[in-house]
């Protein structure tokens, strides 16, 4: 029985992967809004009723693709961070490495990036199961800044009085290891990182930015400095006790 069960599980994994692969082809050709279970089944030579045993609805298939995409870019960012830490890179260099890895993944997988950071799919509401995968890149950026803060590699930027309450909430809910002075600019830099990537992936830099690698590197370096990450050549932040 265990051999039969194992064979069935392998077959299910293979068919699930084939369904996702065909769905990705449809995303590239037609966009997420036109994703159709019937069309996927037709291309795979399956009956629609058979495909429904794997994904009972279009939304469930979309959710699987969304989670996969978030996990893929998250794993890429985590791998870049691990490599930078293994090389004992300074915190600013770790930030840049993570940011570059996100850009590299997005430009290599533009349709999957568009699925998670492009226009919302009409009629689709992402379930709670997408939240954890969606936060993976953010958690790595938080870790970079938190590690810098613990090792005196962070110069806390000034915080406007009228933002202090909101920054305190952000810190408590999203980055409890950081003070409000770091949490607010970190959230801003996180969003601006994906703004830079989206501008490139979706073509807004066409005839505007030509040297995109250099431009991106300098832009994300400035984002890191806005958070308070210090250059390795700079000394301890004397504003902290």
């Amino acid at each position: 029985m265990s051999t039969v069960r194992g064979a069935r599980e392998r077959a299910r994994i293979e068919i699930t992967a084939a369904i996702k692969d065909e769905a990705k082809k449809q995303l590239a050709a037609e966009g997420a809004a036109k994703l159709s279970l019937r069309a996927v089944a037709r291309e795979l030579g399956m009956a629609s009723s058979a495909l429904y045993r794997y994904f009972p609805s279009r939304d469930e298939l979309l959710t699987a693709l969304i989670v996969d995409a978030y996990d893929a870019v998250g794993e890429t960012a985590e791998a870049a961070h691990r490599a930078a830490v293994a090389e004992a890179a300074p915190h600013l260099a770790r930030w840049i490495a993570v940011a570059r890895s996100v850009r590299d993944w997005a430009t290599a997988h533009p349709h999957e990036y568009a699925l998670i950071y492009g226009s919302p799919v009409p009629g689709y509401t992402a379930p709670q199961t997408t939240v954890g995968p969606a936060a993976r890149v953010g958690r790595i950026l938080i870790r970079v800044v938190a590690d810098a803060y613990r090792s005196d590699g962070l110069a806390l930027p000034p915080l406007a009085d009228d933002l202090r309450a909101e920054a305190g909430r952000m810190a408590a809910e999203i980055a409890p290891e950081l003070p409000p002075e770091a949490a607010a600019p970190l959230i801003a830099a996180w969003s601006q990182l994906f703004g830079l990537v989206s501008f490139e992936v979706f073509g807004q830099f066409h005839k505007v930015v030509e040297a995109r690698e250099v431009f991106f590197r300098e832009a994300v370096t400035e984002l890191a400095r806005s958070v308070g990450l210090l250059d390795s050549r700079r000394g301890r932040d004397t504003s902290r006790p």
Side-chain angles (χ1 to χ4, degrees):
M1 288 295 292
S2 60
T3 301
V4 173
R5 185 179 301 113
R8 288 175 177 170
E9 289 174 355
R10 287 194 298 274
R12 184 173 185 84
I13 290 171
E14 291 173 0
I15 294 172
T16 299
I19 293 170
K20 288 181 179 179
D21 287 344
E22 179 56 38
K24 289 176 184 177
K25 293 178 183 178
Q26 287 197 18
L27 289 179
E30 302 288 345
K34 294 184 178 180
L35 181 63
S36 163
L37 291 183
R38 289 183 179 274
V40 171
R42 183 173 59 252
E43 290 299 321
L44 293 175
M46 297 175 64
S48 298
S49 57
L51 190 147
Y52 291 143
R53 291 200 292 269
Y54 295 85
F55 296 100
S57 69
R58 181 209 69 159
D59 284 6
E60 291 202 24
L61 178 54
L62 269 176
T63 296
L65 296 175
I66 288 168
V67 169
D68 284 354
Y70 277 132
D71 278 338
V73 67
E75 288 167 7
T76 299
E78 289 161 4
H81 180 256
R82 284 194 301 271
V85 171
E87 294 172 359
H91 298 102
L92 178 60
R94 297 178 193 181
W95 174 282
I96 295 171
V98 170
R100 278 178 163 170
S101 74
V102 171
R103 174 181 179 265
D104 289 346
W105 182 88
T107 54
H109 304 87
H111 302 295
E112 292 166 65
Y113 181 86
L115 178 64
I116 53 178
Y117 290 110
S119 299
V121 180
Y124 174 79
T125 300
Q128 189 68 22
T129 52
T130 63
V131 174
R136 290 177 70 168
V137 172
R139 286 200 298 266
I140 287 297
L141 295 175
I142 291 170
R143 181 174 175 182
V144 171
V145 177
D147 287 347
Y149 180 65
R150 284 191 291 268
S151 62
D152 293 324
L154 194 70
L156 294 177
L159 181 63
D161 289 341
D162 57 355
L163 183 59
R164 186 163 296 277
E166 176 64 6
R169 184 198 62 78
M170 290 178 181
E173 295 182 7
I174 300 171
E177 58 269 69
L178 291 172
E181 291 84 354
L186 172 57
I187 300 302
W190 178 1
S191 65
Q192 290 170 59
L193 166 61
F194 281 98
L196 284 166
V197 173
S198 293
F199 260 54
E200 182 169 358
V201 172
F202 300 141
Q204 279 90 350
F205 281 154
H206 181 60
K207 294 186 177 180
V208 176
V209 179
E210 298 297 333
R212 294 177 186 174
E213 175 69 31
V214 176
F215 178 83
F216 183 82
R217 183 193 67 216
E218 292 303 308
V220 297
T221 299
E222 287 305 310
L223 291 180
R225 290 172 179 152
S226 74
V227 175
L229 289 172
L230 299 171
D231 291 341
S232 59
R233 63 181 177 271
R234 292 176 62 182
R236 183 184 185 277
D237 174 18
T238 56
S239 69
R240 290 182 55 193

